[in-house]
Amino acid sequence: MKLRSTLGASLGALALVLSTAGSAQAAQGDFHYKYVDGYGQEQHVTLHDPHGGKCINLHAVGDDEDLPGYGPHNDTDAAVTVYLGASCQGPEWRLRAHGKPAKDTLEVRSVRFDAPIAE
């Protein structure tokens, strides 16, 4: 009887951990942007299931000394704020969840996705 109670409690605890782990702090879906590399070639970058609630400096453009990225497209389930400056500084714009691609004139170096609401 004692073994059965312990096993039941262990399985319940495991189910609770698994249900709150993983995607608890991630936007579900993809965020895309473009940038021009050192050879003058346009590159496309995708963030898959990006973390929510924290600032993300974007690859190859996340330093104020680099050329900014451009044309962001938020195809995640969370709204995102895109920033012209690194470390989520400077002018900012909001892109809604599952929105249309922004024009290439919208430049970006860092982003912050809204943290998912706990259920």
Side-chain angles (χ1 to χ4, degrees):
M1 181 76 163
K2 194 173 186 180
L3 177 63
R4 198 176 341 177
S5 297
T6 304
L7 181 61
S10 297
L11 289 176
L14 179 62
L16 180 62
V17 168
L18 291 177
S19 70
T20 60
S23 66
Q25 291 297 316
Q28 300 295 306
D30 295 325
F31 176 83
H32 313 274
Y33 68 96
K34 301 177 269 190
Y35 73 96
V36 176
D37 68 16
Y39 299 103
Q41 299 295 311
E42 183 175 80
Q43 301 295 323
H44 298 258
V45 178
T46 299
L47 301 178
H48 181 68
D49 294 344
H51 285 283
K54 71 176 194 173
C55 183
I56 302 170
N57 285 328
L58 298 175
H59 170 72
V61 299
D63 188 309
D64 286 328
E65 295 178 12
D66 296 329
L67 290 174
Y70 55 91
H73 177 204
N74 183 25
D75 197 17
T76 71
D77 63 355
V80 63
T81 304
V82 299
Y83 298 86
L84 180 55
S87 302
C88 296
Q89 301 294 312
E92 62 186 64
W93 295 268
R94 293 281 291 167
L95 300 178
R96 39 183 184 171
H98 299 294
K100 295 180 181 177
K103 294 182 180 182
D104 285 351
T105 55
L106 180 56
E107 297 178 327
V108 59
R109 285 195 174 92
S110 57
V111 296
R112 184 184 320 266
F113 289 86
D114 289 354
I117 299 171
E119 295 180 14

